């Protein structure tokens, strides 16, 4: 597990980029690239990647590390294009377990990436370019 620096006083909100996971180590590159972009745009941002299966850290491991580093709010951003069983059923259950395990931390579950009109428009722009 990667040890994160303590959350700064003005940055008590952390972000978890949540994805499915894969045995292929190259699969993680786009997920980690999003985390890098967040850090470049907001250097004091607490952001980490977490995975449902086949990769580490898991969502509970990431949340535990962020809470230990001082996060008082964690935004879980599912990097799924579609809203299948994992996004509709598995992830909400995981988030409820996190809320029970960390009652002093507000845990927000954001819509899946594919539900954002900005992403849909960006993908259309890329396809049309």
């Amino acid at each position: 597990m990667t040890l994160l620096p303590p959350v700064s006083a003005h940055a008590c909100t952390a972000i978890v980029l949540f994805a499915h996971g894969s045995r292929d180590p190259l699969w993680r590159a786009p997920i980690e690239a999003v985390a890098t972009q967040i850090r470049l745009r907001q250097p004091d941002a607490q952001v980490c990647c977490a995975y449902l299966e086949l990769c580490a850290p898991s969502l509970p491991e990431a949340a535990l590390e962020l809470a230990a580093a001082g996060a008082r709010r964690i935004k879980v951003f599912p990097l799924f294009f579609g809203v299948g069983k994992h996004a509709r059923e598995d992830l909400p259950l995981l988030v409820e377990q996190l809320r029970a395990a960390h009652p002093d931390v507000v845990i927000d579950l954001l819509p899946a990436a594919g539900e954002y009109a900005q992403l849909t428009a960006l993908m259309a722009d890329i396809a049309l370019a």
Side-chain angles (χ1 to χ4, degrees), residues 41-82:
R41 294 175 187 201
Q42 189 174 335
D44 65 343
Q46 283 288 39
V47 60
C48 66
C49 302
Y51 304 95
L52 180 63
E53 58 188 19
L54 307 173
C55 292
S58 66
L59 184 56
E61 292 167 338
L64 179 64
E65 186 173 343
L66 290 167
R72 297 291 115 233
R73 171 174 245 124
I74 298 173
K75 297 191 303 184
V76 179
F77 183 26
L79 295 184
F80 297 130
F81 289 127

Side-chain angles (χ1 to χ4, degrees), residues 1 4 6 12 17 20 22 31 33 39 47 53 57 60 62 67 74 77-79 81-82 84 86-87 104 106 127 129:
M1 188 178 312
L4 296 169
C12 290
L17 301 173
H20 186 275
S22 171
I31 311 307
R39 289 184 197 105
V47 60
E53 58 188 19
I74 298 173
F77 183 26
L79 295 184
F81 289 127
H86 290 317
D104 55 333
V106 175

Side-chain angles (χ1 to χ4, degrees), residues 26-48:
L26 296 178
W27 177 90
R28 299 168 67 135
I31 311 307
E32 292 170 358
V34 175
T36 298
Q37 284 295 312
I38 291 169
R39 289 184 197 105
L40 288 172
R41 294 175 187 201
Q42 189 174 335
D44 65 343
Q46 283 288 39
V47 60
C48 66

Side-chain angles (χ1 to χ4, degrees), residues 75-98:
K75 297 191 303 184
V76 179
F77 183 26
L79 295 184
F80 297 130
F81 289 127
V83 184
K85 182 180 182 294
H86 290 317
R88 278 191 331 268
E89 298 175 19
D90 301 334
L91 183 53
L93 287 174
L94 278 171
V95 169
E96 285 306 316
Q97 292 168 359
L98 292 178

